[in-house]
Amino acid sequence: MHPPDGIQADPPGRAGGCDGSAGGGGRIWLVAGTGEGPALARRLLARGWHLRVSLVSRAAALAYGAHPRLELAVGAIGGGEGPEAGVAAELADAGRRDAPYTWVIDATHPFATRISAALARGCSARSQPLLRLLRPDLGAGGAQPLEDLAGLGRLCRPGERLLLAIGARRLAEAVAASPGVLHHARLLPQGEALATALAAGLPPQRLAPLRPGGDGRIERALCRHWRIDTVLCRRSGGANEARWHRICAGLGLRLLLLERPGEPARVEALPLEALLARLGDSGQDG
């Protein structure tokens, strides 16, 4: 995994400008995104930890900035070999460099089940301490829970204008489960996401490639422009879910919440403050 253009990362064998060993402080491998990841990284760096942060995209890396004890690795863990092989290789490489990780932290999206499972299995196999960042439960509010996409059709009526805000990977499943519905989708501005949406049968005029974040004004305008009746989003516990709660409440739209999958078995999952307390300080001044 290599840093994108304009993003500084240290060469293999080095951690944030150090000699590759933990030195006076411990090392953490943080697997994250743009949700809680940047804020968590800042707090860990302030506590003296050396961080290697694995991120999927160049855009995500831009949210982390630069720090002498921060190393960014951009790209899918394991690449074509898959996350299981990637996790094993990362942990083995850290051991060979005499720079093992004190902790691995899984701060990935609650629906990123494949990488979470790979981290759980890989860390267990090497007796590597692993913690999972547990996102908060925002509560249903006035939203209607949806246990599984297979039940989507039972909650929708023919001709209903439905906005799918669930990412590209499961669009085809959602479309197939709700025939007769006028599907619209909010996507990341990536070629792969657009291709997936088109392959699922969504026409281009019902697709909106948008970057996450912001105050929701663009999403609010889209809902008005498309005359949306219902929004389906994931119960992720993050800023995106909170934004859809506000938008739907403000516009009087129905909100469906796709329930999050269970946390990996035998992995200690903690909310942010409890996780930081569990980690403590690294033993080196920040």
Side-chain angles (χ1 to χ4, degrees):
M1 294 176 285
H2 302 288
D5 296 337
I7 300 294
Q8 271 198 314
D10 298 298
R14 298 180 66 84
C18 300
D19 62 1
S21 64
R27 295 190 69 213
I28 286 176
W29 179 24
L30 173 62
V31 185
T34 56
E36 290 79 4
L40 175 57
R42 287 192 294 271
R43 294 187 68 174
L44 293 173
L45 290 167
R47 289 168 172 242
W49 291 99
H50 300 278
L51 295 186
R52 177 174 173 84
V53 183
S54 287
L55 304 156
V56 172
S57 70
R58 179 176 184 265
L62 293 171
Y64 284 79
H67 190 282
R69 283 183 276 104
L70 174 64
E71 177 187 2
L72 300 178
V74 177
I77 294 175
E81 296 182 357
E84 296 273 358
V87 170
E90 178 67 34
L91 296 178
D93 184 58
R96 281 194 299 271
R97 293 188 281 116
D98 195 27
Y101 294 112
T102 311
W103 293 98
V104 173
I105 299 177
D106 176 7
T108 59
H109 195 281
F111 285 77
T113 54
R114 191 179 179 208
I115 183 59
S116 288
L119 286 167
R121 287 192 287 266
C123 289
S124 176
R126 298 185 68 90
S127 298
Q128 166 67 56
L130 168 68
L131 292 175
R132 165 79 172 154
L133 176 62
L134 184 64
R135 288 195 185 187
D137 183 353
L138 301 181
Q144 190 170 358
L146 177 63
E147 292 293 337
D148 189 85
L149 283 178
L152 180 59
R154 294 192 295 273
L155 300 180
C156 298
R157 63 184 186 277
E160 184 171 5
R161 293 177 175 271
L162 174 66
L163 175 57
L164 299 169
I166 57 172
R169 186 173 60 87
R170 301 188 69 186
L171 281 180
E173 186 181 351
V175 169
S178 50
V181 171
L182 294 176
H183 300 98
H184 304 69
R186 179 200 186 284
L187 306 166
L188 288 174
Q190 298 171 350
E192 183 180 355
L194 179 59
T196 299
L198 294 172
L202 284 119
Q205 65 271 24
R206 295 189 204 155
L207 298 176
L210 298 173
R211 294 200 180 279
D215 59 6
R217 280 182 291 180
I218 296 177
E219 288 87 346
R220 203 174 282 112
L222 270 176
C223 288
R224 290 195 184 103
H225 174 70
W226 282 334
R227 303 194 306 279
I228 294 298
D229 301 303
T230 300
V231 174
L232 172 63
C233 81
R234 297 175 292 191
R235 193 168 191 165
S236 62
N240 191 55
E241 182 196 337
R243 191 177 302 115
W244 283 116
H245 277 282
R246 293 193 300 271
I247 291 169
C248 290
L251 296 178
L253 306 180
R254 185 168 62 128
L255 177 61
L256 302 179
L257 282 180
L258 181 61
E259 295 287 0
R260 71 175 73 175
E263 296 294 331
R266 296 182 296 279
V267 174
E268 188 175 5
L270 299 168
L272 177 60
E273 296 302 328
L275 182 142
L276 290 170
R278 181 82 166 85
L279 293 171
D281 295 327
S282 74
Q284 175 175 305
D285 295 335

